[in-house]
Amino acid sequence: MLRAHLSSTSRLNLCRSSSTRLGVLSPIKKPQFCGNSQLRSLQTNSEPAQDLHEFGEQHVTKGLSRITKGIMTKGDGSWVTYDDGRKMLDFTCGIAVTNLGHSHPKVSKAAADQCMQLVHSQCSIAMHEPYLRLIEKLLPAMPHPSLDSFFFWNSGSEAVEAAIKMARQVTGKQNIISMQGAYHGRTFGAMALTKSKTIYSAGTHPLMPGVFSIPFPYWHQQNQPVNTPLSTLTEDALYQLELLLAQQTSAAETAAIIVEPVLGEGGYVPAPPEFLQGLRKICDKNKILLIIDEIQSGFCRTGTWFAIEESGVRPDILIMAKGLGNGFPISGVVSRRELTDKLKPGSMGGTYAGNAVSCAAAVAVANSMRDEKILENVQARSTELFSALNGLKYDPALNPHILDVRGRGLMVGLEFASPAATAHRFSAHAASDLPDAPPPPPHSTHSAQKGVKHPKGMAARVARKCIDKGMLILTTSVYEVIRFIPPLNVTKEEMKKGTEIFAESVREVVKEG
């Protein structure tokens, strides 16, 4: 009864009596009477940013991790600003999401305008115009004209889940084959397909059944030297697929093969066109669907609208997300009507699937990609990035420590050599891709030159130095890999600054040993 009669002012006074400064939230064990008053005090406190950060440290789940401390307050193009005034060059794009830079004016305006018209039109109740306009914009960009049936959802993981479900329903078969090193998400079905790090599924087994994997044509995965011909790697990977179909999951039981045309979380490794073409032939021969996961590589990231275009391979199902909305949550599953007409109405859906605001933002993204000649900028900046990184690779002082520079467009990885003497090749569980929490460096007989001592944890140390010098960048995979994912409209000057920060960081780590 007391709570019912308390005014908002009385509640606020009760909160303040518990702690003279609400920034010190820990003494308030059970803020039963505080509710919104706590949040109001946080907003009006004389040191709101500091107090808010402390609040976050206490109440944001420990299952999340971050590469920086502090609160990001603003994003503008290739730059982000923190609450303490730090301005950082962002070569992460929120992991390939803000492909047009932060707060792109046309995208933000499209979303704001849509907010004043219709925010939510649930897909099971009615169609809405932004959903249909988005299909209209995407149809000409599809890597094959057969891709003409669209379903929009919220996230990449959900799109993967929908693709798995669709493949099983339309084929009447159960099993799915994915790639070693693949990342497809953290939801339950997607997590079973993810093979890049054990941290993503640790403690949650048994996972979704019916999942098998083969080596991706990446020299590490086949225990070959870094200079192994791609034809050799491709031949071996396709042989392992044929063997899998003969020994573990027959074609009659296999619904789909899912593959990233550029392995993302597994090390930023482009799939050889011959490998993708080989997958297509095997799928056609065995009536298996080929799912192409372009969640990270799509939307001009690799120098074409979709990375699969390089190979000329036709997907049966194409998955996209990340750059599609430039920060607004949206993903897509695209197939052909021949397949999707087999789905029962109501088998697909979701409360926020194809949200009107996100669809409106995605329409603006598609328009801006064309109007602002983004592909031309990607190709120009890619040349500069590869030139700078290869310059480091062939520098005599650095060459022993750099194994590989690879990628497509502005999805580029640089792999450092690992120390020759380690007790184990891999950690018991590869932690996260965060520079401040790296896994112990793996060992490979081909990753070290004789007589050369390589710095331990080099990728994580270089990434940390880059951050300290004012540039956000990420590591990736269980190997020593740095990934470059700058905005696709990054300027020549920003690219130069970013590569200079990176070069300086590499030289410092090598010098420190």
Side-chain angles (χ1 to χ4, degrees), residues 5 16 35 55 64 141 153 161 179 196 199 282 300 310 350 436:
H5 289 87
R16 285 174 174 165
F55 180 83
L64 299 177
W153 219 342
E161 299 280 354
M179 305 292 134
S196 58
I199 186 63
I282 291 172
C300 303
E310 181 189 17
D436 56 354

Side-chain angles (χ1 to χ4, degrees), residues 13 67 78 92 94 122 176 190 310 328 336 344 426 440 449:
N13 289 335
I67 64 172
S78 300
T92 72
Q122 207 281 330
I176 310 289
E310 181 189 17
F328 289 88
R336 57 185 187 273
K344 293 181 179 180
F426 304 102
Q449 295 183 18

Side-chain angles (χ1 to χ4, degrees), residues 218 220-221 266 406 415-416 418 426 442 459 476-481:
Y218 176 22
H220 264 310
Q221 293 189 13
R406 57 181 179 249
E415 182 171 344
F416 296 108
S418 303
F426 304 102
T476 189
S477 84
V478 295
Y479 303 105
E480 295 288 332
V481 182

Side-chain angles (χ1 to χ4, degrees), residues 460-512:
R461 291 169 61 188
V462 168
R464 173 52 57 192
K465 282 187 177 291
C466 287
I467 292 171
D468 292 343
K469 294 175 187 295
M471 180 175 73
L472 300 176
I473 201 165
L474 292 165
T475 62
T476 189
S477 84
V478 295
Y479 303 105
E480 295 288 332
V481 182
I482 294 276
R483 50 175 155 174
F484 291 81
I485 27 177
L488 304 185
N489 53 5
V490 62
T491 66
K492 184 181 183 71
E493 293 73 24
E494 290 166 343
M495 180 60 74
K496 184 173 185 293
K497 182 176 180 64
T499 54
E500 287 175 348
I501 289 174
F502 180 75
E504 185 179 333
S505 300
V506 172
R507 294 184 191 282
E508 288 182 8
V509 171
V510 169
K511 185 176 180 180
E512 292 169 2

Side-chain angles (χ1 to χ4, degrees), residues 177-184 193-197 212-218 220-222 240 258 260 263 265-267 479:
I177 298 172
S178 67
M179 305 292 134
Q180 291 176 19
Y183 178 84
H184 297 293
L193 302 176
T194 291
K195 306 294 182 182
S196 58
K197 292 176 183 174
F212 301 82
S213 63
I214 63 168
F216 191 86
Y218 176 22
H220 264 310
Q221 293 189 13
Q222 295 166 350
Q240 291 297 327
I258 184 168
E260 300 164 276
L263 198 65
E265 179 70 12
Y479 303 105

Side-chain angles (χ1 to χ4, degrees), residues 171-175 245 249-255 286-288:
T171 65
K173 298 189 284 185
Q174 165 79 12
N175 296 340
L245 292 171
T249 171
S250 71
E253 297 174 318
T254 304
N286 295 286
K287 296 182 180 180
I288 297 170

